[in-house]
Amino acid sequence: MDLPAALRAHRLLAIVRGDDPDAALRTVLTLVDEGVALVEVSLTGRDALDVIARARAALGPDAPLGAGTVLTADDARAAHRAGADFVVTPAVCEGVVAARELQLPVLAGVMTPTEIVAALRAGACAVKIFPAAQAGGPAYLRALRGPFPNVPFVPVGGIDATAARAYLDAGALAVGVGSPLVGDAADTAADTAADASDAAGPDALRARARTFLDVANAVTQGGPS
């Protein structure tokens, strides 16, 4: 998988983390059905590896599917066995090297210039500025692109639709979005929502997905590369 090319094509990476595996699976499938092509299932969610395996079976072999919060070599190997075809880490860690040994592309978490260099040397094909809002937002991304003009940056953390556009306009390859997109859809509360129009229900999830997709598509069609 060419992860940077996929990120450039779609501009949006959805991050699913939930306490209910069935709800998390439905969230993944709903997002993909709505047009969100790149989805990452965080290993910190309950039974995340099973969610990845079930999503892979449902989506087929060709749909991009990532495992997030991969820290260790065991995490990378388990994600690979479950069917993930790319890995996302919160830091430059053992999981980066192990994933590369498995020929899985890696989006590695960084915050500082030193960590950017370390991530690239470890084999990451793109870097995740995390947590992006706390690091300094779009202004920090612009500052980083001065010494690193060719590095594929993907900000993650605290990104709503307005911030997503600002990061993309500042030169981000894509943005990673968790709770502002997913909300509570992957949690037990969402799974038991009585009203489909409730903020935790599938209609609200689809509406949020369309909002972020509108931002991503606008930049893809006319924004920076």
Side-chain angles (χ1 to χ4, degrees), residues 157-212:
I159 299 177
D160 61 13
T162 300
R165 180 60 195 247
Y167 281 112
L168 292 168
D169 286 345
L173 183 67
V175 291
V177 185
S179 57
L181 168 57
V182 174
D184 296 327
D187 297 326
T188 303
D191 189 37
T192 57
D195 185 351
S197 65
D198 185 273
D203 289 349
L205 175 62
R206 289 181 181 275
R208 291 191 297 271
R210 289 192 292 271
T211 297
F212 279 96

Side-chain angles (χ1 to χ4, degrees), residues 46-107:
R46 182 179 163 203
D47 294 337
L49 291 168
D50 184 58
V51 173
I52 293 170
R54 293 163 67 194
R56 173 54 69 210
L59 295 171
D62 298 326
L65 183 61
T69 325
V70 171
L71 286 168
T72 68
D74 285 345
D75 287 342
R77 288 189 285 267
H80 184 250
R81 287 194 299 270
D85 51 15
F86 67 93
V87 158
V88 184
T89 76
V92 182
C93 56
E94 183 183 70
V96 176
V97 176
R100 292 305 302 131
E101 290 174 349
L102 294 165
Q103 299 185 330
L104 293 174
V106 180
L107 172 61

